[in-house]
C-alpha cells in the first residue's frame, strides 16, 4: 500500500485532502487487484475514475495558484496536461481479458510514481517560492540551514554556491556564449546534486533513519526536475524562464533542507 506521509503535505488543507484521496484511489485499486483476477470492466472503470478525480483536483490546484499569483502555475499546468495525456493514452489502449491485469498494474505503477514525484517535486512548492533577491543574500548558506552533519552541510553549501553561480551568469549582460555557460553550470548542478543525494542517503541508511524512503522519493523528484530542463524548448522569454527556474531551484532546496534534512539525526 502507498502511504500519504507527512513529507507529502503542502500545508494547504484542500490540496492535501485531495492528494490523500488520490493515494486512496491507488490503494483501492490495488486491493481490487488482490481480490479479483482483474477484468476489462474493472480496468476501464479505474481509468475513468482516475481521470475524473485528477481533472477535478488539477482544476482546484490551478485555481488556488492563480488566486495567489503563484509563479509556478504555468509549470504545473504543463505537468497536469502531461498526466492527462498519459491517462487518455491508457483509455485508448485496447484492453483484452488476458491483458486487463497488466493494464491495471501499469496504471497503478505510473500513478504512484507520478504522484509522489509531482507532489514532492512541484506541489510541495506551492505558495513557497519568493522572488530571488527578496532577502539581502538569498544564496547565502546561513546557520538556519545547518543540520550539524558536517558532510551534508558542506555539500548543501556547495549546492547554494552553484545556484548562485547560475544566477550570476543569467544576469551577466556582457558574457559571450552565455547559453553554453548556463548549460555547463546546470549540468554541474545536476551531477553534484546526484552525488550529494547519494552521500546523504548512505548516511541515513548507515544510521537506520526511518525517514529514508520519503527522502529518496523527494530526491528522485528533484533530479527528475533537473533532467527535464531544456532551454531548446524555450523560444520566448528565455530570461524570464531562467529567473523562474533559479527561484524554483533555490526554493526547493531551501524548503527541503528546512522541512526534511534538518530532521535527520546525528550519528551516535
Amino acid at each position: 500500500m502507498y502511504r500519504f506521509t507527512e513529507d507529502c503535505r503542502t500545508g494547504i488543507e484542500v490540496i492535501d485532502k485531495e492528494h490523500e484521496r488520490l493515494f486512496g484511489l491507488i490503494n483501492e485499486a490495488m486491493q481490487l487487484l488482490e481480490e479479483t483476477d482483474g477484468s476489462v470492466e474493472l480496468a476501464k472503470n479505474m481509468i475513468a475514475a482516475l481521470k475524473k478525480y485528477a481533472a477535478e483536483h488539477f482544476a482546484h490546484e490551478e485555481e488556488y495558484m492563480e488566486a495567489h499569483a503563484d509563479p509556478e502555475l504555468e509549470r504545473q499546468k504543463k505537468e497536469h496536461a502531461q498526466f492527462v495525456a498519459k491517462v487518455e493514452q491508457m483509455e485508448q489502449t485496447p484492453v483484452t481479458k488476458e491483458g486487463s491485469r497488466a493494464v491495471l498494474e501499469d496504471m497503478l505503477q505510473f500513478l504512484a510514481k507520478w504522484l509522489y514525484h509531482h507532489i514532492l517535486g512541484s506541489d510541495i512548492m506551492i505558495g513557497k517560492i519568493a522572488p530571488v533577491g527578496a532577502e539581502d543574500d538569498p544564496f547565502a548558506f546561513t546557520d538556519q540551514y545547518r543540520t550539524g552533519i558536517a558532510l551534508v552541510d558542506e555539500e548543501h553549501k556547495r549546492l547554494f554556491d552553484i545556484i548562485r553561480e547560475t544566477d550570476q551568469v543569467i544576469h551577466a549582460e556582457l558574457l559571450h556564449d552565455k547559453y553554453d555557460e548556463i548549460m555547463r553550470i546546470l549540468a554541474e548542478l545536476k551531477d553534484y546534486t546526484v552525488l550529494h543525494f547519494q552521500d546523504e542517503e548512505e548516511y541515513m541508511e548507515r544510521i537506520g533513519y526511518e525517514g529514508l524512503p520519503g527522502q529518496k522519493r523527494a530526491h528522485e523528484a528533484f533530479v527528475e526536475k533537473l533532467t527535464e530542463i531544456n532551454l531548446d524548448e524555450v523560444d520566448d522569454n528565455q530570461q524570464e524562464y531562467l529567473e523562474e527556474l533559479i527561484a524554483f531551484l533555490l526554493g526547493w532546496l531551501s524548503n527541503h533542507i528546512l522541512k526534511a534534512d534538518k530532521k535527520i539525526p546525528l550519528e551516535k
Side-chain angles (χ1 to χ4, degrees), residues 213-229:
Q215 281 270 14
K216 282 186 174 181
R217 289 194 296 267
H219 292 169
E220 289 171 1
F222 188 62
V223 170
E224 189 174 85
K225 287 285 187 183
L226 292 173
T227 303
E228 290 172 352
I229 296 173

Side-chain angles (χ1 to χ4, degrees), residues 21 54 59 66 70 109 113 121 124 134 154 198 212-213 215 217-218 245:
R21 176 56 185 147
E66 187 169 11
D70 196 300
Q109 290 173 5
K113 181 180 179 181
I124 205 70
E154 179 183 333
Q198 289 174 346
L212 177 57
Q215 281 270 14
R217 289 194 296 267
L245 175 63

Side-chain angles (χ1 to χ4, degrees), residues 137-251:
D137 184 0
F139 302 99
F141 182 73
T142 58
D143 287 343
Q144 68 174 324
Y145 298 119
R146 293 193 179 278
T147 65
I149 306 166
L151 177 62
V152 171
D153 289 339
E154 179 183 333
E155 292 183 348
H156 282 163
K157 183 178 184 302
R158 180 57 189 146
L159 286 172
F160 272 77
D161 288 343
I162 296 174
I163 296 175
R164 180 199 295 274
E165 291 169 19
T166 311
D167 183 68
Q168 289 173 341
V169 172
I170 289 171
H171 291 94
E173 296 180 0
L174 301 179
L175 180 66
H176 295 295
D177 299 323
K178 184 173 179 178
Y179 173 88
D180 292 340
E181 182 65 8
I182 289 172
M183 294 308 298
R184 183 194 68 77
I185 298 177
L186 288 175
E188 179 185 355
L189 174 63
K190 179 187 174 184
D191 291 344
Y192 194 83
T193 298
V194 170
L195 172 66
H196 163 62
F197 287 162
Q198 289 174 346
D199 290 342
E200 199 171 68
E201 289 170 15
E202 286 174 5
Y203 172 85
M204 288 187 280
E205 188 169 11
R206 187 169 69 245
I207 66 173
Y209 180 47
E210 62 182 9
L212 177 57
Q215 281 270 14
K216 282 186 174 181
R217 289 194 296 267
H219 292 169
E220 289 171 1
F222 188 62
V223 170
E224 189 174 85
K225 287 285 187 183
L226 292 173
T227 303
E228 290 172 352
I229 296 173
N230 185 354
L231 297 187
D232 291 331
E233 295 180 352
V234 184
D235 297 326
D236 302 320
N237 300 320
Q238 193 175 85
Q239 183 75 15
E240 181 180 350
Y241 169 82
L242 287 167
E243 289 174 357
E244 290 177 356
L245 175 63
I246 289 298
F248 172 80
L249 296 176
L250 185 63

